[in-house]
Structure formats: structure tokens, C-alpha cells
Amino acid sequence: MLTYILRRVLQAIPVFFGTTFLIFFMVFAMPADPIAGLSGDKTLNPAVADQLRAQFHLDQPFIVQYFLYMKDFFSGNLGVTFSGQSVNDVFAAAFPVTLQLVVMAVVLEFFLAVFFGLFSGLRKGKLFDNMSLVFALVLSSIPVFVAMFLAQFFIAYKLGWAPVTVGANATLSSMLLPAIVIALTVYVTGMRLMRGSVIEARQGDYVRTAYAKGLTHKRIIPVHIARNSLIPVITNSAASFGALIAGTTITESIFNIPGVGNVLFKAIQNSEVPTVVSFVTILTIIYVVVNILVDLLYAVLDPRIRYV
């Protein structure tokens, strides 16, 4: 087990440096001058502009800027935004909001996928199965931003069942509607995986043996069928978690949620290299750690899995 963990950590090292280098290069290659944009429509004093470029190391070659950034990153300093705020403070304020939103969405997505996938698999070809597949097909065909606007207009604005926008004071109740919409738009893959696994498990020799021993449905379905069918669903939910942590920009923009997506989008517009690279780097680390934890969880769900 320790050997496996060490190997996965070593594999994550080139991913870490490759991601940071690529993102740093992409931001560096942007044609816009971030310093010139600070003054808006006015012309910035050349002396002040040169001072700011020196402060943010923008007068240095690309590779020098990268190594200076990595040096600060490993010392715990994520840099300073062009407005003078510490990137550490900006991330500390934005990440908990996004984390709450994503956790709510992934938990809802997981239970929806397990519920509909399990009962669809147990009732293959019947009315519930057919209706679930049609419902999943409809949801998967609707773009996320369209689903968000529809939910915001009808559920929040017309019916008044939820806040139209979240605003600066984000609470769990105010983010429930966007979390539900996210869950409904991403649960389809998990549901299909669960359904397929349940159908396959029902045809397994170990299930036939359990029935031959006289075990009841109440024992076989949760222990032998559902438990062994959860592995692909958990994998999908973990992938959804990592993707949503870095991919909630549209949702946060529509519902005015002060999370990572909003901050990252504005930082890209302003070519703020420290903010963009720091956010992406931390999100990459989170994604890698989550995937390692999910791999270790496989052995708990399926005793046949062993790591060497």
C-alpha cells in the first residue's frame, strides 16, 4: 500500500510542474499588457509602469518569472494581485464558497446516480428503466448555461422558491438551487454506469450462488449487487468533483457566486499571472489527491482489490 501511494505521488510530480509551466506560459503569451490595463482609459505614467513591471517581475524573461514564482510558491507565498491583495487571502476567501457548492452538487449527483441507476438496473426494460433513460437523455442534451438560466428564471424569479442571485454573503441555502442544477446536469453518466454495473452484477456467479444459498433480495441487493456496482460511480463522482472545483465559472457567473470560478475568470481577463497560476496549481493538487484517495477507497468497497 505504501509503495503504491509513493508511486502515485511520484507520478504527480511531473503533472504538477507540467501544469504550472503550461499555464504560466499561456498567461505569459497573452498579447495584452496587464500593467497598461490598470489605468483604464488613461495613460499610465511610464515611470510608474516600469516600477510596477519590476515589482511583478514582468520585466524579466519568461523562464526567470517562472522560477521566481515557483520559489515563492514553495515558500507559501502565492503572490500579490495587481490591486495589491495577497493571492493567499483571495484564494482563502473564494475557495470555501466553491468547495461548499461543489460538495453539495457532488453529494446530490452521487445519490441521484445510485438511486436511479440501481432501480433502473433492477428493472431493466420496464417502465421505470425506460423513463429514467429518457429523462437522463433530455438532461444530458441541455447545455449547462441554459439549465442555469431556466432554473434561475422559473424557480427563483417566477416562483420565488430560491434567491435569484447568491451575492457576497454566500450561504448553503442560497447555493442550493445552483447545486441541484449542477447535480442534475452531471448525474447522467454516473446513473448509466450504475445501471450497467447492476445489470452485470445480477448475472455474476457470486449473485447466483447467493440466491442458491437461499439469501433474500434484501440481503443480496445491498451487499452483493449495489456494493460491487459502486466503484465506477465513485470514480465518476470523484472526477466530477475535480472537474467542478475548477469548472464552476459559468454557474458562479450566472448566480453571482463569489467563488474560485469568478475570481479566476477575472484574473484571466486582467492577465494576473500569480492569481491564475496559483489557483490552477492548487486545483491540480486537489484533483490529484482526490484521485489517490478514491483509488485507496476501492479496496474498502471491493476486498478483491489489492495494491502492490
Side-chain angles (χ1 to χ4, degrees), residues 200-222:
E200 182 180 356
R202 292 183 67 189
Q203 301 172 353
D205 293 335
Y206 60 94
V207 173
R208 294 194 183 99
T209 302
Y211 278 116
K213 290 181 178 180
L215 296 179
T216 62
H217 286 291
K218 293 182 178 180
R219 175 67 178 174
I220 293 175
I221 291 175

Side-chain angles (χ1 to χ4, degrees), residues 227-228 231 297-306:
R227 180 180 178 183
N228 290 302
I231 291 179
L297 186 60
Y298 286 173
V300 177
L301 296 172
D302 191 345
R304 295 171 298 179
I305 297 177
R306 290 292 181 268

Side-chain angles (χ1 to χ4, degrees), residues 3-281:
T3 303
Y4 172 79
I5 296 175
L6 179 61
R7 186 166 65 248
R8 287 298 304 272
V9 172
L10 292 176
Q11 291 173 351
I13 293 177
V15 174
F16 170 80
F17 283 104
T19 301
T20 55
F21 185 86
L22 180 62
I23 296 299
F24 203 96
F25 174 77
M26 292 174 65
V27 177
F28 181 85
M30 288 183 178
D33 184 0
I35 299 300
L38 293 177
S39 59
D41 297 333
K42 300 179 180 179
T43 302
L44 195 64
N45 185 290
V48 175
D50 292 339
Q51 183 180 357
L52 289 173
R53 289 190 179 91
Q55 177 182 347
F56 292 102
H57 308 297
L58 297 178
D59 57 340
Q60 299 291 332
F62 160 73
I63 194 66
V64 175
Q65 292 186 41
Y66 177 74
F67 281 115
L68 289 173
Y69 167 78
M70 294 306 299
K71 176 184 176 182
D72 291 337
F73 181 86
F74 284 113
S75 65
N77 178 19
L78 301 181
V80 180
T81 67
F82 292 154
S83 60
Q85 289 181 283
S86 170
V87 178
N88 297 63
D89 296 336
V90 174
F91 186 85
F95 182 72
V97 177
T98 297
L99 182 62
Q100 291 176 4
L101 175 64
V102 171
V103 168
M104 291 171 62
V106 170
V107 169
L108 290 171
E109 177 267 335
F110 178 79
F111 282 106
L112 286 172
V114 171
F115 176 82
F116 284 99
L118 176 61
F119 284 96
S120 293
L122 294 175
R123 292 167 172 79
K124 178 185 177 183
K126 296 183 179 179
L127 179 62
F128 184 88
D129 181 33
N130 294 329
M131 293 300 295
S132 298
L133 291 176
V134 171
F135 183 64
L137 179 62
V138 172
L139 287 177
S140 62
S141 63
I142 301 176
V144 176
F145 67 91
V146 174
M148 291 293 171
F149 277 121
L150 290 175
Q152 186 182 49
F153 181 76
F154 289 103
I155 298 178
Y157 179 72
K158 286 292 186 180
L159 298 177
W161 290 353
V164 177
T165 59
V166 175
N169 298 321
T171 61
L172 293 179
S173 59
S174 64
M175 292 191 293
L176 182 59
L177 179 59
I180 292 175
V181 178
I182 292 174
L184 289 174
T185 55
V186 300
Y187 97 98
V188 175
T189 302
M191 186 276 285
R192 290 176 175 173
L193 289 171
M194 185 70 183
R195 177 182 179 273
S197 297
V198 169
I199 294 173
E200 182 180 356
R202 292 183 67 189
Q203 301 172 353
D205 293 335
Y206 60 94
V207 173
R208 294 194 183 99
T209 302
Y211 278 116
K213 290 181 178 180
L215 296 179
T216 62
H217 286 291
K218 293 182 178 180
R219 175 67 178 174
I220 293 175
I221 291 175
V223 176
H224 296 278
I225 295 179
R227 180 180 178 183
N228 290 302
S229 302
L230 284 176
I231 291 179
V233 184
I234 291 177
T235 304
N236 179 72
S237 296
S240 298
F241 178 85
L244 290 174
I245 282 288
T248 57
T249 304
I250 296 176
T251 303
E252 292 180 357
S253 299
I254 294 175
F255 283 91
N256 192 26
I257 302 173
V260 171
N262 256 337
V263 176
L264 193 56
F265 177 73
K266 294 176 182 177
I268 293 174
Q269 285 184 316
N270 298 327
S271 300
E272 292 191 1
V273 177
T275 304
V276 175
V277 180
S278 297
F279 274 43
V280 173
T281 301

